[in-house]
Amino acid sequence: MKETALPFVAKLALVLLSIIMLGYLAILGKSLLAPLLFSLLMAFLLLPFANFLERKFKFGRSIASITAVILMIAVLYGIFYFLGNQLGELWNDWPLLVKQVTTAFHDIQSWITKTFHINGDKQKSYLTDGIEKSLATSAVVIGTTLLTLSSSLLFLAFTLLFTFFILNYRRLLFSFLTTVFAEQHKTKVTEIVSEIQSIIRKYVSGLFIQMFIVTVLMILALTFLGVKYAILLGLIAGIFNIIPYLGISTALLISALITFATAGAAKALLVILVFVGVHTIDGNILMPLVVGSKVKINALFAFIGIIVGEMIWGISGMFLCIPYLAMLKIIFERVDGLQPWGALLGEGHKLPRKRRTYRITKKIKLEEAE
């Protein structure tokens, strides 16, 4: 059968149509696909532990899978329990924080009056208009908050169930992937699946190691500065750091505001400097050693992926974009005709630096040492 070559415009139209359709289906299937893809990452991380239980203690497949999921639940419960205690301490001091913020607000108001010659009545009128608009949308905000909480609980429940099912039926899923393609591609598919499993497992474990190190560094630095709620702010910095690029900025803003309310502008400035220093260490040392060497996605497409992930799935999309871009990069590098796309997602190959060579000629005179 003779193959017909489509013109470039037709190929471009088909590619754009496919991308639009996939994006639309991803938006429609967010409630199912987001926890499913997150569960796949967790299954890669827990797979060695489940295999260890099966080999060492002769556990059945289902028992080993549910034990691994229970271990994940215990770790998550410990993190959220400790974070909840810290938030409870902050909630107990909330009236004091409101009082200090009010005092700081009056100081700022006086500075605005002296600097820009805007009297207090006009400032109060601006604030009154803003408060009325906020109250008008308060019902919407409360409804959105309750919806977000219920969605998070549903997301967590689906994630736990999908993680168990993926671990329990992993042989069946692997057999399907290797048999759905033609026989001549079986070896290549097996290599791709094995490489994806290894790299993503290292990436997820490295991400948790990075989160732990950043948390410890922030807690030590903030405790040394005498910042109140140092443990809470350190936990916020470590957890938010999971979201590349944007997470550390959000944690910096929250920490600076809390420190400003409790200790003033000078201490808040020190907290900002601490965040910048820890982020510099994280980006130049921790990320290349722990995470960056496992997932080599260049910063441009990583940032584009984060923005697109947030547009489609929100915070979960921001977290999932990097590992799944790494999966696509592995697939592109192994499939004929898609290698340029894999190279585009990667960091590129650095050209070897040319070393200077010297040649000894007869014109060089060697002097005898005295």
Side-chain angles (χ1 to χ4, degrees):
M1 185 176 179
K2 186 178 180 181
E3 295 183 359
T4 57
L6 294 175
F8 173 76
V9 176
K11 290 182 179 180
L12 180 61
L14 290 175
V15 170
L16 292 177
L17 183 61
S18 300
I19 292 174
I20 293 172
M21 292 176 64
L22 289 174
Y24 183 68
L25 291 175
I27 294 173
L28 291 180
K30 174 185 176 181
S31 300
L32 174 65
L33 294 177
L36 179 61
L37 295 180
F38 192 86
S39 301
L40 184 60
L41 299 181
M42 293 298 101
F44 284 153
L45 181 63
L46 297 175
L47 183 59
F49 180 71
N51 288 332
F52 172 77
L53 293 178
E54 291 183 22
R55 291 195 308 266
K56 187 71 176 179
F57 299 101
K58 307 300 180 183
F59 281 15
R61 180 65 50 78
S62 300
I63 301 299
S65 300
I66 199 168
T67 304
V69 173
I70 290 173
L71 175 64
M72 184 177 72
I73 294 174
V75 173
L76 292 176
Y77 176 78
I79 294 174
F80 286 116
Y81 179 78
F82 189 72
L83 184 60
N85 287 337
Q86 296 296 317
L87 289 174
E89 182 181 349
L90 177 63
W91 182 255
N92 293 331
D93 293 338
W94 189 255
L96 178 61
L97 293 178
V98 172
K99 181 180 178 181
Q100 291 175 341
V101 169
T102 303
T103 303
F105 169 74
H106 287 306
D107 294 338
I108 294 174
Q109 190 178 22
S110 301
W111 178 79
I112 291 174
T113 303
K114 294 178 181 179
T115 305
F116 299 101
H117 305 291
I118 300 176
N119 57 38
D121 294 333
K122 288 186 178 180
Q123 295 182 38
K124 289 179 181 179
S125 65
Y126 296 152
L127 291 174
T128 302
D129 294 338
I131 291 172
E132 289 177 355
K133 292 179 181 178
S134 300
L135 290 175
T137 58
S138 60
V140 178
V141 173
I142 294 173
T144 304
T145 303
L146 294 176
L147 182 62
T148 302
L149 180 60
S150 60
S151 300
S152 300
L153 295 176
L154 189 64
F155 180 89
L156 182 60
F158 279 168
T159 299
L160 296 176
L161 286 174
F162 287 147
T163 302
F164 167 74
F165 288 135
I166 292 173
L167 287 173
N168 194 35
Y169 296 107
R170 58 185 183 271
R171 299 283 172 81
L172 178 63
L173 296 174
F174 180 77
S175 176
F176 168 76
L177 287 176
T178 55
T179 56
V180 74
F181 294 96
E183 184 67 25
Q184 62 266 26
H185 301 306
K186 185 175 181 179
T187 303
K188 182 177 291 187
V189 172
T190 304
E191 292 176 355
I192 292 174
V193 172
S194 178
E195 188 175 354
I196 287 176
Q197 176 183 330
S198 175
I199 287 181
I200 298 304
R201 183 171 64 246
K202 292 177 182 178
Y203 169 75
V204 176
S205 60
L207 203 62
F208 282 108
I209 294 172
Q210 181 196 18
M211 180 181 70
F212 175 76
I213 295 174
V214 169
T215 301
V216 172
L217 289 177
M218 287 301 304
I219 290 175
L220 291 177
L222 295 178
T223 303
F224 176 76
L225 293 176
V227 175
K228 198 174 183 180
Y229 311 115
I231 297 177
L232 174 62
L233 299 181
L235 282 172
I236 291 174
I239 294 173
F240 277 59
N241 195 56
I242 292 179
I243 302 174
Y245 303 107
L246 301 180
I248 194 69
S249 302
T250 306
L252 186 150
L253 180 61
I254 295 173
S255 301
L257 289 175
I258 293 177
T259 306
F260 175 75
T262 55
K267 193 64 70 68
L269 180 60
L270 291 177
V271 169
I272 293 174
L273 294 177
V274 167
F275 265 85
V276 172
V278 172
H279 181 62
T280 302
I281 296 173
D282 176 45
N284 294 284
I285 299 177
L286 296 180
M287 182 69 75
L289 290 178
V290 180
V291 179
S293 59
K294 309 297 188 300
V295 184
K296 296 180 180 179
I297 302 295
N298 66 67
L300 173 62
F301 284 92
F303 196 73
I304 292 174
I306 291 170
I307 295 175
V308 174
E310 195 278 333
M311 292 171 60
I312 296 177
W313 287 348
I315 295 177
S316 58
M318 296 171 71
F319 172 75
L320 292 171
C321 67
I322 301 297
Y324 282 95
L325 278 177
M327 290 187 189
L328 289 176
K329 178 176 176 291
I330 295 171
I331 295 172
F332 290 162
E333 290 176 344
R334 295 300 187 96
V335 177
D336 295 335
L338 296 179
Q339 285 89 352
W341 294 96
L344 183 64
L345 292 176
E347 295 181 341
H349 300 286
K350 294 183 178 180
L351 295 175
R353 185 178 179 182
K354 293 183 178 181
R355 301 181 64 181
R356 291 185 177 181
T357 57
Y358 299 92
R359 185 176 59 182
I360 299 177
T361 63
K362 293 182 179 180
K363 296 181 179 180
I364 297 178
K365 296 181 180 179
L366 299 177
E367 297 181 358
E368 295 182 358
E370 296 180 355

